[in-house]
Amino acid sequence: MTNVVALILAGGQGTRLGVLTEKIPKPAVQFGGKYRIIDFTLSNCVNSGIYRVGVLAQYRPHLLNKHIGIGKPWDLDRKGGGVTILQPYSTLTESVWYKGTADAVYQNIEFVDEFSPEYVVVLSGDHIYSMDYSEFVYYHVSKGALATIACMEVPISEAHRFGIMVTDIDYKIVDFQEKPKQPKSNLASLGIYVFSWEFIKQALIEDAKDESSEHDFGKNVIPKILSTGRVYAFPFEGYWQDVGTIMSYWETNLELVRPIPPFNIHDPNWRIYTRSEEMQPAYISPTGEVRNSIVSEGCEIYGLVENSILSQGVTVGENSVIRNSVIMTKVEIGDNVIIEDAIIAENTIIKNGCKIGIGEFAESKYDKKVYNSHITVVGMDTVIEEDCEFGKNVVIGNDRLIPKGTKIESGGYFF
């Protein structure tokens, strides 16, 4: 893979994750008790033998920069390649912000050209999946393609959320619709591309001159290059999840505690690498009990944890019950607390006697599009004082101080 450069699109906010992405970009959101979402794409790169990687960051990139650093956990701290964070920059005449996915790659043509690659793989940094990109590139070469798009079949009812393609019997793409109201097929683009570099470079230069273009691969570039007759679909049959909504993020996390999880993070032949703080081993006290859960290092458990994901350094007090929940790093949970069907973001403190996620579902009074499930979400760096009670589908903002005894009914919010 010495003739391949990978570009990871990591600039999106991920607005459908609500408060979880108000302070950090979606690729930096924690996942699986130890990782951040971008770890999966970075690990796929090195597991596929790709060691020239650019990460195109834009929205609140500070945490992403800190997490990736010089790329040492992924063996990307190397000369003649490695990982580079590529943020928008100013020129003598203008300050440039990435206008779309295609524009983000266009603005980094010089970076790619430094390596003189034959192929560039363009990846999303906000999906959970494992894929051997070397097979993807070999498929592209075997087809004599100029562009190849990874795809998989989705339920037709979900097709409107994706770029949808129609292919012939040889998987040549003959039609492409971006998030269509009336999809012509259920073959969905995963936002994972291989391009022959010299070809796509010229296509991007032309697209940049087009003032009517939104400079987006799905909306503009892919439909335009279909006329070459050399754009193919790569049918992907492995595990892939978008985790773009509160519900899908919660469900995909909890899938990891199934007896046989659909996505195997324990595969010794396809390791997922990350940067994480060194902590002491987890401790479960005589009063503590853990059932069917992932508990990371640094946790101290004095209550009951059931069917949940606990990230590093979480403390669960005596007589507390955590059930069907995702608890992120360094959350402190006091005594006699009940948390059910919830996502608690990093560094939040929940004091004694609180009850979170109780009662019956009610429609959100804050944002029905984002908060449309039974999951209650608490933002990061928030302090919830004693004896508070929150129903289901409640959202609590970041950096909040919730007064003692506050009660919020299902569907409510506190910002």
Side-chain angles (χ1 to χ4, degrees):
M1 293 288 103
T2 55
N3 58 349
V4 178
V5 169
L7 295 176
I8 301 176
L9 302 172
Q13 179 183 357
T15 54
R16 291 178 299 159
L17 286 179
V19 294
L20 300 178
T21 52
E22 279 188 3
K23 294 178 68 174
I24 59 176
K26 182 181 171 187
V29 173
Q30 293 188 351
F31 183 86
K34 186 177 179 69
Y35 310 101
R36 296 191 186 273
I37 292 174
I38 197 170
D39 291 337
F40 296 87
T41 305
L42 283 170
S43 298
N44 286 340
C45 286
V46 296
N47 287 333
S48 303
I50 298 174
Y51 291 96
R52 294 168 172 173
V53 180
V55 177
L56 282 59
Q58 179 161 265
Y59 174 77
R60 292 182 176 269
H62 172 70
L63 181 58
L64 210 53
N65 283 330
K66 182 181 176 183
H67 179 65
I68 296 173
I70 59 173
K72 190 171 183 179
W74 301 271
D75 193 22
L76 286 169
D77 56 331
R78 53 177 64 200
K79 293 181 179 177
V83 62
T84 304
I85 306 291
L86 301 166
Q87 295 175 216
Y89 53 87
S90 297
T91 67
L92 289 175
T93 56
E94 59 181 342
S95 179
V96 184
W97 207 244
Y98 296 151
K99 302 182 186 73
T101 53
D103 183 60
V105 176
Y106 166 76
Q107 290 193 39
N108 290 286
I109 283 176
E110 288 184 12
F111 167 79
V112 179
D113 273 343
E114 287 179 10
F115 302 105
S116 302
E118 288 185 67
Y119 310 104
V120 59
V121 291
V122 178
L123 312 164
S124 293
D126 54 5
H127 298 154
I128 304 298
Y129 69 112
S130 60
M131 178 188 286
D132 188 341
Y133 301 138
S134 63
E135 293 182 5
F136 190 23
V137 173
Y138 291 143
Y139 178 91
H140 173 86
V141 174
S142 70
K143 291 291 186 183
L146 295 172
T148 304
I149 306 170
C151 63
M152 66 190 308
E153 293 184 358
V154 298
I156 195 69
S157 60
E158 296 289 317
H160 67 280
R161 296 175 47 223
F162 297 90
I164 294 297
M165 58 193 81
V166 178
T167 70
D168 66 12
I169 195 170
D170 195 35
Y171 281 105
K172 181 192 293 183
I173 300 174
V174 297
D175 196 3
F176 187 93
Q177 302 170 290
E178 181 66 9
K179 298 180 180 177
K181 292 181 179 177
Q182 296 181 322
K184 296 179 180 178
S185 83
N186 66 339
L187 198 58
S189 166
L190 304 183
I192 302 170
Y193 310 98
V194 178
F195 297 111
S196 297
W197 175 237
E198 289 302 324
F199 165 75
I200 199 62
K201 183 168 75 172
Q202 291 306 313
L204 292 174
I205 291 171
E206 292 177 14
D207 180 72
K209 297 174 183 173
D210 184 355
E211 295 183 354
S212 66
S213 173
E214 295 180 50
H215 312 297
D216 182 88
F217 278 113
K219 293 178 182 175
N220 310 107
V221 176
I222 299 299
K224 191 172 292 184
I225 64 176
L226 288 186
S227 60
T228 64
R230 293 173 64 184
V231 181
Y232 284 81
F234 172 71
F236 179 61
E237 297 179 348
Y239 182 89
W240 179 91
Q241 283 292 340
D242 180 17
V243 295
T245 65
I246 296 289
M247 188 63 182
S248 65
Y249 174 81
W250 177 82
E251 283 184 327
T252 306
N253 266 283
L254 294 193
E255 281 180 352
L256 298 176
V257 300
R258 290 183 187 175
I260 302 177
F263 183 62
N264 183 10
I265 59 174
H266 306 286
D267 185 350
N269 298 313
W270 201 268
R271 292 186 60 189
I272 309 300
Y273 303 94
T274 188
R275 180 190 302 278
S276 59
E277 188 175 336
E278 290 293 333
M279 289 191 176
Q280 71 278 15
Y283 171 70
I284 301 171
S285 78
T287 61
E289 185 176 357
V290 176
R291 302 174 188 162
N292 193 44
S293 298
I294 289 176
V295 177
S296 296
E297 60 265 41
C299 289
E300 296 184 25
I301 312 298
Y302 300 91
L304 171 63
V305 177
E306 184 174 18
N307 199 40
S308 295
I309 305 285
L310 270 60
S311 295
Q312 290 182 303
V314 172
T315 301
V316 178
E318 290 188 0
N319 298 315
S320 290
V321 177
I322 313 301
R323 187 173 286 125
N324 303 329
S325 296
V326 178
I327 313 295
M328 298 189 193
T329 297
K330 295 183 179 177
V331 170
E332 297 179 21
I333 299 169
D335 299 335
N336 303 305
V337 172
I338 295 175
I339 299 177
E340 291 188 358
D341 302 334
I343 300 170
I344 313 295
E346 303 169 50
N347 304 315
T348 280
I349 298 172
I350 301 169
K351 296 191 177 179
N352 298 344
C354 290
K355 297 178 181 178
I356 296 175
I358 58 175
E360 301 295 324
F361 167 81
E363 196 171 69
S364 177
K365 300 178 180 66
Y366 178 68
D367 188 335
K368 298 175 186 175
K369 291 183 178 178
V370 173
Y371 305 100
N372 54 9
S373 70
H374 64 295
I375 312 301
T376 286
V377 185
V378 179
M380 63 173 63
D381 300 310
T382 284
V383 177
I384 302 174
E385 297 288 359
E386 290 88 347
D387 302 319
C388 291
E389 293 186 8
F390 306 154
K392 292 198 182 300
N393 197 26
V394 168
V395 56
I396 307 295
N398 299 298
D399 303 301
R400 300 295 97 184
L401 174 61
I402 314 298
K404 181 179 178 180
T406 299
K407 292 181 171 51
I408 302 176
E409 296 180 348
S410 295
Y413 60 92
F414 189 108
F415 280 90

